[in-house]
Amino acid sequence: MSRILFSLTPITGHVRPALPVVRALVDAGHDVVVHTGTKFASAVAATGATAAPVVHGRDLDDAELDTWSAAHGAPEPGVKRLQWDVLHHFLGPVPGDLADLEAVVVDWRPDVVVTDTTGIAGALLARRHGIPSVQLTVTPLPVSSRDTAPFGTGLQPPRTGLQALRYRLLDAFIKRVVFKDAQRKALALVDDAGVERPAGFFLDWMPTFATRVLHLSVPSLEYPRSDLPANVETVGAVLPRGVDLFEPPVWWRDVLAAKADGRPVVLVTQGTVATDPSRLLYPAVEALTGTRALVVLTTGTAEPEDVFADELPANVRAARFVPFEQLLPLVDVMVTNGGFGGVQQALAAGVPLVVAGRTEDKAEVGARVAWAGVGVALRTDPTTDATTTQAVADGVRRVLEEPSFARRAQELAAEYARYDAVARVVEVVEGLAGEQASATEAAAA
């Protein structure tokens, strides 16, 4: 039996993909501790793992991120907001989280540390104590490459030498100007942790810090890179199958009837972080009201009656949450703000997409959806990140009318089915734990 420590950013899209791995490791007989937010304590306990409390870190419900940010002086969406988010949400919690993790190590030295894409504290802890670590990516792969545009811009790979040159200049500007303060802050965190400074840009430290980087996606949804570090491996997506209880909403038969009648079923989902309904839900309802489609809304963190004061249109149904495992097989197109987990669930079910969002990693998600030919990415307002009624209407119409999107989504569904991400992650973690145990025994001898 090995001791495995998970350090997970307390955001739904970061925690949920890790929980099936946690459960599999527990079932295999390993002792697992998970450090993440209080919101996820019951979900962690349900896996059989132990939840490590957040004492010094920031225990913030991800549904309250926008409210917390506004209360702490965050600017409106745009470059300045991106700079602010990186400093306050990505780097800001690191010292507190690191202190919490240190307390775990004092009482219970792990054999392996597992982190998510933004798990800097866990990566620093592992590096400081010489513990092997695994980083699970829950976003599009953010590693820089000569074959891609700078991460976060939402630009697809260069098609010409001139475009590649422009991207290199843009990359230099982003790293040396836009994220100058963040780079300085990241280096200070490394110094404070007593860890040797890695070379390069802080967003590229992932393969340097982690022993293994396991990308939770499939090759067809990720840009090819000729210079990908050798310790990065694409392992498929972790899909939350069998995780959520399914109690059919009162209108569930309407969905079944629409499918039987050949009516298109359109799913509109707001996600769990960027939850302002004016960005996507309201424009989508207006765009699809009165159409032949049956529209299913999932409102995420709020009940439908709190989001829509008036009665919903006759062809619209709504619930706070419906397990996608049950719903997606009945859906013809999903309209989403671009959460990476939801997008991959849709594609694993063969559902094409309309993506409208550019905050967090969503510009990169939308760009990959368009690049892979599995859907369309809509423009959003540069200040509010809201889409328009016309854009949603045009996007849904195009995806429903052009069969190439559904055909390509089915191809990716077959690709997802060829992977067993949980089994591969467990195999890698157990392998590293075994190597660590052997090294410890050799040192003791």
Side-chain angles (χ1 to χ4, degrees):
M1 181 180 73
S2 300
R3 296 181 299 277
I4 316 298
L5 172 62
F6 280 72
S7 173
L8 302 175
T9 305
I11 294 175
T12 301
H14 293 232
V15 176
R16 277 177 66 88
L19 293 180
V21 178
V22 171
R23 180 185 294 275
L25 287 165
V26 170
D27 289 346
H30 301 292
D31 192 3
V32 183
V33 170
V34 180
H35 178 265
T36 191
T38 302
K39 174 179 178 177
F40 305 102
S42 60
V44 169
T47 67
T50 300
V54 176
V55 178
H56 303 286
R58 185 188 301 163
D59 192 6
L60 178 66
D61 188 328
D62 55 344
E64 302 298 326
L65 275 176
D66 281 349
T67 301
W68 187 93
S69 298
H72 288 78
E76 293 297 319
V79 173
K80 289 188 178 299
R81 177 57 182 269
L82 179 60
Q83 294 169 319
W84 193 94
D85 283 344
V86 168
L87 285 170
H88 290 79
H89 291 311
F90 184 48
L91 301 174
V94 170
D97 288 337
L98 188 55
D100 286 346
L101 295 172
E102 278 291 343
V104 174
V105 171
V106 168
D107 297 328
W108 184 84
R109 182 179 173 87
D111 300 301
V112 180
V113 175
V114 182
T115 70
D116 60 77
T117 310
T118 54
I120 293 181
L124 288 174
L125 176 93
R127 191 82 164 182
R128 179 157 66 186
H129 291 279
I131 302 170
S133 64
V134 175
Q135 194 152 36
L136 305 179
T137 62
V138 293
T139 68
L141 195 61
V143 180
S144 295
S145 169
R146 59 174 172 262
D147 301 321
T148 65
F151 187 81
T153 61
L155 297 170
Q156 293 182 9
R159 294 181 175 86
T160 66
L162 180 59
Q163 193 174 43
L165 175 60
R166 289 174 176 169
Y167 283 179
R168 285 197 294 272
L169 295 173
L170 177 60
D171 184 65
F173 176 76
I174 290 173
K175 292 176 178 177
R176 297 175 185 175
V177 179
V178 176
F179 288 124
K180 178 181 66 175
D181 292 341
Q183 178 75 8
R184 186 182 299 117
K185 174 68 172 177
L187 288 170
L189 290 172
V190 171
D191 292 343
D192 290 344
V195 173
E196 182 181 354
R197 284 188 173 191
F201 187 49
F202 72 98
L203 289 179
D204 295 325
W205 291 349
M206 176 166 50
T208 302
F209 278 140
T211 311
R212 299 290 296 275
V213 176
L214 303 182
H215 184 40
L216 302 184
S217 186
V218 294
S220 291
L221 196 63
E222 189 52 69
Y223 303 140
R225 292 168 168 82
S226 60
D227 51 356
L228 190 67
N231 64 338
V232 179
E233 177 186 354
T234 298
V235 299
V238 177
L239 303 170
R241 291 171 177 157
V243 172
D244 302 301
L245 295 176
F246 176 53
E247 296 183 7
V250 294
W251 43 259
W252 188 249
R253 289 186 178 181
D254 297 340
V255 180
L256 300 177
K259 196 66 178 177
D261 293 341
R263 292 173 60 193
V265 176
V266 179
L267 168 62
V268 182
T269 178
Q270 184 70 51
T272 57
V273 175
T275 56
D276 182 351
S278 64
R279 295 182 182 182
L280 179 60
L281 287 184
Y282 294 162
V285 169
E286 187 174 350
L288 299 170
T289 293
T291 64
R292 185 168 176 266
L294 180 71
V295 181
V296 177
L297 306 176
T298 60
T299 53
T301 58
E303 296 297 333
E305 56 268 25
D306 296 326
V307 177
F308 297 94
D310 300 326
E311 184 176 349
L312 289 171
N315 67 322
V316 177
R317 307 292 183 270
R320 188 187 65 80
F321 173 77
V322 178
F324 281 2
E325 179 182 0
Q326 306 295 330
L327 181 56
L328 284 170
L330 305 172
V331 170
D332 295 284
V333 59
M334 183 166 93
V335 182
T336 171
N337 61 1
F340 194 49
V343 163
Q344 294 208 93
Q345 283 184 261
L347 293 176
V351 178
L353 296 141
V354 174
V355 179
R358 294 191 63 84
T359 58
E360 297 90 33
D361 61 330
K362 294 180 176 62
E364 293 296 332
V365 175
R368 283 161 174 76
V369 164
W371 175 81
V374 294
V376 298
L378 308 181
R379 292 183 179 274
T380 60
D381 186 277
T383 300
T384 64
D385 199 37
T387 189
T388 66
T389 298
Q390 190 62 54
V392 174
D394 291 344
V396 171
R397 185 182 305 111
R398 183 183 173 196
V399 171
L400 287 175
E401 292 179 355
E402 296 183 21
S404 65
F405 294 112
R407 183 170 59 248
R408 183 66 177 137
Q410 288 292 331
E411 291 173 356
L412 260 73
E415 186 174 357
Y416 278 97
R418 291 195 291 269
Y419 285 85
D420 187 340
V422 172
R424 180 56 182 154
V425 174
V426 169
E427 182 181 25
V428 170
V429 170
E430 289 182 332
L432 291 175
E435 293 173 9
Q436 181 75 349
S438 297
T440 301
E441 291 174 4

